[in-house]
Each structure stands twice: as C-alpha cells, then as structure tokens.
Amino acid sequence: MTAVRAFTASAPGKIILFGEHAVVYGYPAIAVPLTAVQVTVSAEAAPSGSGITLHAADLGRTLALADLQPADPLYDALAYPIHLALQTLRCPAPDLRLTVRSTIPIASGLGSGAALAAALIRAVWGALGQPLDDDVLNPLVYEVEKRHHGTPSGIDNTTIVYARPVYFVREQPPQTFTVARPFTLLVADSGHSSPTRLTVADVRHRYDADPTGTGAVLARIGAIAEQARQAIEAGEIAALGPLMDENHALLAELTVSSPHLDQLCQAARAAGAQGAKLSGGGRGGNMIALVQEDSADAVAEALRQAGAVRVLTTRVDSPS
Ligand code: PMV
C-alpha cells in the first residue's frame, strides 16, 4: 500500500482585468490572482482499505471517491482532478481523506473550478510525497477546465496555478509582468451566477454571423489589454480607468453585460471609482472597480446600495 503523509495545499481565486472573450480569439488578456479568496485541501492518511474519501466541509458532506460516477454533478469538480492526479503519478488510489474548504463563490468568474482542481491535485501529489512543478500542474488543471467550460482559453488555470499577474495569449507560454505601482480594485458580486459556456457560445454566434463587425470589437478589446499592460508596467494607473470603461462598453456591445452589471459599473463611477467593468464571462458574476484609497469605502458602499451581494478589496502588486 502506498505510504501517505499529511499535506495541505491551496490555490487562490483569480480576476480578469482586461480582455475576456477576446482572449478566446487569440487576443491578449490580463488576469491577476485574487488571494482574498482561496480553496484549501488538507490530505491525511485514512484507515486501511477505505480508499479516498472527500469531506466537503462547506457542504457538510462526505463522499467516497469510488461512489462518484461521471454522471454525478460533483464528478467533474471533485473526482476528475483526483483521477488525473493519480493517473499522472501512475498510482492506485491510496487510503486518503481529503478535506476541502473554499471561500471562492462558484460560477461567478473568480476561478473556483480551476482553484479547486489545482488544490486537489497538489494535495494528492503532496500526500504521496511527490514534488509538483507548476509547469506540470497547469496542463492538468486545464484538462479539468475543459470539462467545465468546453474550450476555455486557459487564462483561469494559468493565473491560479502560477498565482501571479499574467499576460495571456492563447496557446503561448504565459508571460508575467511587473506592476510598477500597486493599485486597488474592488470586486463586487452581482449575485447572479451565469455559466461562462453560454456567453462564450453567444459571442461565437455573433462572430460567425458578422465576422467583420464582431471581429473589430474583439480586436479593440485586445488592443486595450495591450495598452493596459503598458500602463501597469509604467505605473500609469490613472490610464487604466478609461481603458476599463471602454472595455466594459465593448463587452456590452457583445451582449455579455446585463442591466445589473451596467448599474454596478455606473454606481461605482458615480461614487468616485476611476473606472469599472464586468469581469469574466459576464451576464452575471463579478465586476471590478479601480479605486484610490480615499474613495474605496464610498465606492464599496455604493456598490452594496446598487445590489452587490459581496464586495472584496484586492491590491494588485508584483509577487514578492
Ligand atoms: O468567467 P470566467 O472568469 O471563468 O472567465 C471567462 C473568460 C472568457 O474569456 C470569457 C472565457 C475564456 O475561456 O477565456
């Protein structure tokens, strides 16, 4: 029987700053880790013959891995990453209890699926005493993302696995970049969950119906992401606000905003945010607002008044 040891692994959430949807078409996008929310998986040895059990602490449920079949709604999120971890280790299922805790809201564009997969795979490898390189983990988490989202660009898994700001172009090695001057974002949850798969499919229909018009919108979004990277690297934070506003308007043109996301962006700007946009797949999920320290509280309050169910604050900085 394979020896196991206690091991705890975690992974942060993520937030897309610029370039969602256009990234699917090969344009650049920028995303940063969101360390205010995390998935943590603790692995410990279990009684001989018990196999792998999963304790979903937030749901108060304990499940045997062997009972989770592909038709089960929890299979892709919980069982598939573990099977991938064991397959790549060429290891039979050890006797292991995995306790999963998450503060990342699901289906709201914060990368809950990728973070759960990353933490689970890290925990299984760690419990079996195997060091796991991020370059090995990243494609495994991408495999899990494909089951959740169909044809994801790979930006979520890349930002979450490497836990650093990422400038991402599909099918190219991820580039990290320097944040010359840290800045603060509020991340507000609209309270509506919206599957990314659907908005990605709708943008695809629009593109197929009008490749020139929709293509021009996507190209402009890509150019904004490029300009934003340059501004972040130059420490020109004031330039980011107008770029966020324009990026939001272009996403609205692609029909992936919603009346509530538009209201949240307007409320943030009216309360003093330098810029605001939806983040992620859209039609629900989260929006982000760029704030200066002296207006952060007023903007957060305005977002709550406009119906945000949760407002997180995150400071974007280069990893130390
Ligand atoms: O909804 P999220 O945060 O998982 O982001 C989706 C980002 C898209 O560009 C819309 C899709 C993708 O695969 O990149």
Side-chain angles (χ1 to χ4, degrees), residues 14-16 19-25 29 107-112 142 145 149 151-156 168 170 194-197 199-200 203 251 256 279-282 284-285:
K14 75 95 203 12
I15 195 89
I16 297 179
E20 50 274 271
H21 287 288
V23 69
V24 174
Y25 296 79
S108 60
L110 300 185
S112 61
Y142 183 65
E145 285 285 279
H149 299 308
T151 52
S153 63
I155 191 167
D156 280 25
F168 182 87
R170 193 172 188 151
S194 165
T196 295
R197 188 189 272 277
T199 52
V200 169
V203 173
L251 288 165
V256 299
S279 173

